[in-house]
Amino acid sequence: MPELVTRVTVEELPAATGDPITVLRFSGDITSASQPAVMGTYEGLPDTVKRILLDFSKVEYLNSSGIALVIQMMIAASKKGQKIHSFGLSPHFKKVFTMVGITKYTTLHEDEATACAAFE
């Protein structure tokens, strides 16, 4: 089965209060081959971004190398003082994210509305 290309789109949502929310919407597979898409997109964000929402709802496959990339991105965001919330993970990956300690860097939410509200 061929690997699906990782796509990351960036969207900015207005917030009721405070800074806007920058949404990174992932689709396809997230693996070691995803470094340019994941880190390249994150590193291309303006320095003014303070709130980041990660949307995993269209991710088909996520392996350990992909999880390592996500952790790398979250550590970089933490060092910049950016706040991250995430949604769209399957129950299996919610469990995996919790087990590997990603919840140290992000809060996992059921849906986009709940995640956005958590920034307020």
Side-chain angles (χ1 to χ4, degrees):
M1 184 161 92
E3 187 174 307
L4 295 176
V5 173
T6 307
R7 297 201 192 291
V8 186
T9 58
V10 179
E11 183 180 337
E12 190 171 284
L13 302 176
T17 60
D19 297 310
I21 299 167
T22 300
V23 185
L24 301 185
R25 298 193 191 277
F26 299 99
S27 62
D29 296 344
I30 302 179
T31 65
S32 60
S34 305
Q35 173 128 10
V38 174
M39 291 307 295
T41 301
Y42 171 74
E43 290 167 355
L45 295 176
D47 290 337
T48 55
V49 169
K50 299 293 178 215
R51 300 172 172 189
I52 299 173
L53 179 59
L54 305 180
D55 175 1
F56 292 97
S57 61
K58 293 193 173 27
V59 172
E60 302 286 327
Y61 176 73
L62 179 63
N63 68 10
S64 59
S65 296
I67 291 171
L69 271 177
V70 171
I71 292 171
Q72 180 183 350
M73 178 184 61
M74 290 181 178
I75 289 170
S78 177
K79 287 178 180 174
K80 288 183 176 182
Q82 295 167 318
K83 190 167 186 176
I84 299 179
H85 288 278
S86 302
F87 77 98
L89 289 161
S90 69
H92 169 73
F93 281 110
K94 282 184 192 172
K95 184 176 179 179
V96 170
F97 272 38
T98 301
M99 286 173 35
V100 300
I102 288 181
T103 53
K104 176 180 176 183
Y105 302 104
T106 186
T107 303
L108 307 179
H109 299 277
E110 291 301 314
D111 56 46
E112 185 171 338
T114 306
C116 286
F119 282 109
E120 302 304 326

